[in-house]
Amino acid sequence: MVVVQGFKVPLPHPSSLTSSHHPHTSILFEPSSLSLALTHTDSSLSLYPSFSPLSPSPSPPHTQTLNIPSPSSSSTFLLLQQHPSAAPAVIFLVSSPYRSRILLRLYRLRDPSSFERVTRVLCLHKDLCFQPGLGVILDAKHGAAVRLAASVNYFALHALSSNKVWVFAVKDDGGGGNDDGSGSGGVRLMRCAVIECARPVFSLSVAFGFLILGEENGVRVFGLRRLVKGKSGNKRVGNSKQLRNGVGVRGGGLEVANCNGDLEGKMERHGVAAVKQTHVKSKLDDRDGGSCFVVLKGNEVNTNSVTKVSMSIKAISIQAVSQRMFLILDSHGDLHLLSLSNSGVGVDITGNVRPLPRTMKVKSISVLPDLSAMSQTIWISDGYHSVHMFTAMDIENALNEVDGNDCNEKLLRLPVVRVLFSSEKIQDIISLSANSVLILGQGSLYAYEIS
């Protein structure tokens, strides 16, 4: 017998009451530390450590809710792991406009009960400046929109006004604490690559060693390792000028320990590591640097003319399902499955996309990739009052059934395992585990568990 339990999740009041009068608009959840971030309508954030919505007391009394003042334009969780055997540190990263430039604020989970601002960031490039009272200032126009996406040790930043994507590496610097005894360990911030985008970017994902840009009519996939390490020598990219497609070092001296095994540098004078970033120009058919562009199947509109007009679609959300599978939500509310493969170690990526059957017009998707599980649970919402649940195993079985059939017109059928209904209109969903989901309604949070 399947039992579905649903209950409203009480939230502790923020340490500052400024955001308590503003409803929530989106949620982020970091499963390894049970950290929850709520974005409010005034663009401020509330950060909750050790948040367990499925327990009788969702947040222990001793935990401290951190209120991050507005404005904020984007935010993400980043895991900082220097050794495979060590538990990763959790960093919460927030972008904001600051005098038309981009401000990055970093907060570190110091223990299970509190986040603290990172008060020391060593920046290794001239266009990066750290000010203790503010954060890291990137000398680039903030503009109308900035997007952040992060994984283990790396994050990517897209600025719409600059038509660029920056890839950064984060490394622990001192680890144990500040010289002043405040207990907030410093970090080292290194810019690894800059991608000049010839086409608009609508979404961003960094996961399982891939950087994926959601564009019009498709997605562009970069191998993160090759993008960071680059290739030696100069390479002509499309019709662009000669670019150094690699990581250069200058100076000499002590070698710095690799960051996640992918970033190498040498110590300059004064102990500052010098890493020259990869510079890439993004073209529609460019496959240099281990990248590829995978086309989404567009919708066709019948007109009175003989020809059909193809409507452009935008990849507005990208969610990792496994190491090689990604779900793509387009601007028409349809889902696509992206499957990636490498033709060899360190060489170009290949991929293909299959459209999934349209059960409804999807507004939001959420997946919690777990490599230890046999299959991942996928949650999709129509943005109104329903959430549908299915698994990655269902997708693979459906694809195998279609591929093994001689009839090319055989439809892909995807069974929905469960459907949840909410009394409030759904704004956002977050997968908590294989059998539980967190739903953000009109100002309230609800947790559902299926057993």
Side-chain angles (χ1 to χ4, degrees):
M1 178 179 178
V2 177
V3 178
V4 179
Q5 293 180 320
F7 48 90
K8 187 175 180 179
V9 179
L11 288 173
H13 293 292
S15 56
S16 171
L17 299 180
T18 55
S19 62
S20 61
H21 304 292
H22 298 278
H24 317 308
T25 60
S26 63
I27 47 180
L28 290 173
F29 184 71
E30 202 293 299
S32 68
S33 63
L34 301 179
S35 299
L36 178 75
L38 291 174
T39 304
H40 305 277
T41 53
D42 66 340
S43 80
S44 63
L45 297 108
S46 295
L47 193 54
Y48 301 88
S50 301
F51 185 81
S52 303
L54 300 176
S55 66
S57 55
S59 194
H62 65 276
T63 60
Q64 299 178 8
T65 302
L66 179 65
N67 181 253
I68 301 175
S70 61
S72 64
S73 51
S74 185
S75 59
T76 187
F77 285 103
L78 178 145
L79 295 181
L80 187 59
Q81 186 168 30
Q82 304 305 312
H83 303 286
S85 60
V90 177
I91 300 251
F92 187 64
L93 183 65
V94 182
S95 66
S96 305
Y98 178 73
R99 296 178 180 176
S100 78
R101 291 181 292 175
I102 300 173
L103 173 66
L104 297 174
R105 291 174 284 176
L106 290 81
Y107 301 86
R108 185 170 186 156
L109 183 64
R110 297 303 305 169
D111 53 60
S113 64
S114 65
F115 276 90
E116 295 180 4
R117 180 191 283 269
V118 177
T119 57
R120 188 180 71 241
V121 180
L122 178 62
C123 300
L124 307 181
H125 300 276
K126 293 180 179 179
D127 58 351
L128 292 172
C129 174
F130 175 67
Q131 296 187 15
L134 292 173
V136 177
I137 299 175
L138 173 62
D139 190 13
K141 290 183 179 180
H142 184 283
V146 165
R147 296 180 180 89
L148 290 171
S151 182
V152 180
N153 295 346
Y154 293 95
F155 73 91
L157 183 152
H158 169 244
L160 179 63
S161 61
S162 300
N163 290 325
K164 291 181 180 180
V165 174
W166 290 264
V167 180
F168 295 94
V170 182
K171 180 180 174 60
D172 226 339
D173 186 54
N178 280 343
D179 296 335
D180 58 6
S182 62
S184 181
V187 298
R188 185 176 301 181
L189 186 62
M190 296 164 280
R191 187 187 61 218
C192 306
V194 178
I195 302 171
E196 294 186 17
C197 303
R199 298 162 58 90
V201 174
F202 302 97
S203 57
L204 197 65
S205 174
V206 181
F208 295 116
F210 294 101
L211 167 66
I212 305 179
L213 310 182
E215 300 181 5
E216 190 173 17
N217 297 325
V219 293
R220 192 177 308 277
V221 185
F222 292 87
L224 189 60
R225 179 182 177 87
R226 185 169 176 182
L227 187 65
V228 169
K229 289 183 70 70
K231 294 164 61 179
S232 60
N234 292 334
K235 178 72 68 174
R236 182 173 293 275
V237 182
N239 295 322
S240 63
K241 63 182 180 180
Q242 290 281 339
L243 301 173
R244 176 169 293 279
N245 187 21
V247 177
V249 295
R250 59 186 186 275
L254 182 65
E255 183 176 355
V256 182
N258 290 351
C259 180
N260 202 30
D262 293 336
L263 189 65
E264 297 176 353
K266 291 194 179 286
M267 296 300 292
E268 277 191 319
R269 282 178 259 176
H270 311 298
V272 178
V275 181
K276 187 175 181 180
Q277 81 279 1
T278 303
H279 201 112
V280 180
K281 283 198 174 181
S282 177
K283 298 289 185 182
L284 179 62
D285 57 351
D286 175 35
R287 299 176 65 87
D288 184 76
S291 67
C292 68
F293 184 84
V294 186
V295 178
L296 301 179
K297 184 179 180 181
N299 295 338
E300 291 182 337
V301 179
N302 291 321
T303 64
N304 295 329
S305 62
V306 179
T307 61
K308 293 181 179 180
V309 178
S310 180
M311 293 181 62
S312 66
I313 56 177
K314 304 174 181 65
I316 61 174
S317 180
I318 305 167
Q319 293 274 333
V321 178
S322 66
Q323 287 181 303
R324 299 291 174 179
M325 290 174 52
F326 294 80
L327 267 183
I328 302 168
L329 172 63
D330 69 32
S331 52
H332 292 168
D334 293 324
L335 290 176
H336 309 258
L337 181 68
L338 170 66
S339 300
L340 298 176
S341 61
N342 287 78
S343 55
V345 178
V347 297
D348 289 343
I349 302 164
T350 59
N352 64 81
V353 170
R354 294 288 296 268
L356 298 184
R358 185 185 179 106
T359 57
M360 62 183 180
K361 186 173 182 179
V362 180
K363 183 67 177 296
S364 57
I365 57 178
S366 182
V367 189
L368 182 63
D370 183 3
L371 298 182
S372 63
M374 293 294 294
S375 183
Q376 316 306 322
T377 302
I378 299 166
W379 306 86
I380 63 175
S381 172
D382 59 0
Y384 291 99
H385 298 278
S386 69
V387 176
H388 292 216
M389 168 189 172
F390 55 95
T391 69
M393 188 73 71
D394 298 326
I395 296 178
E396 293 179 358
N397 292 338
L399 289 175
N400 292 335
E401 183 180 351
V402 173
D403 293 339
N405 194 284
D406 294 334
C407 178
N408 293 329
E409 296 181 355
K410 183 176 178 64
L411 295 177
L412 177 67
R413 301 188 181 277
L414 188 63
V416 175
V417 180
R418 296 285 178 269
V419 179
L420 304 176
F421 294 96
S422 171
S423 59
E424 294 186 17
K425 188 175 179 180
I426 297 170
Q427 295 193 83
D428 203 359
I429 56 174
I430 288 291
S431 177
L432 300 175
S433 67
N435 62 341
S436 59
V437 64
L438 194 64
I439 298 177
L440 175 63
Q442 298 297 110
S444 301
L445 272 178
Y446 298 90
Y448 288 85
E449 185 176 23
I450 300 174
S451 59

